[in-house]
Amino acid sequence: MKKRLLLYVGMLLLVSPLLSGCWLLAVGGAGAYGGYKAKEEGYTLRNPVAKEKPENQERKE
């Protein structure tokens, strides 16, 4: 039983570095897609993130 547990832990330690690049690539792709969809909706990358207003819209003061 203890040998099997050590085998599983050893395989996990050997396989996890191989998968780390794939996870980073997947997360980066998801972030890029989210940014693309936000840009389609009119949001821009500013601090804080704000939605662009049409130029012909009157300002409410």
Side-chain angles (χ1 to χ4, degrees):
M1 183 71 177
K2 192 169 187 173
K3 287 182 182 182
R4 181 176 279 174
L5 178 64
L6 287 175
L7 179 67
Y8 288 149
V9 171
M11 286 190 329
L12 180 66
L13 290 175
L14 290 173
V15 173
S16 63
L18 298 175
L19 295 176
S20 63
C22 296
W23 287 108
L24 292 175
L25 185 62
V27 169
Y33 180 74
Y36 176 76
K37 293 307 272 183
K39 185 68 176 173
E40 280 184 349
E41 295 293 324
Y43 288 93
T44 58
L45 292 175
R46 288 187 282 171
N47 195 7
V49 176
K51 191 169 187 176
E52 291 179 351
K53 296 178 183 168
E55 293 180 16
N56 58 2
Q57 186 181 19
E58 295 181 17
R59 294 179 83 181
K60 296 180 181 177
E61 296 181 21

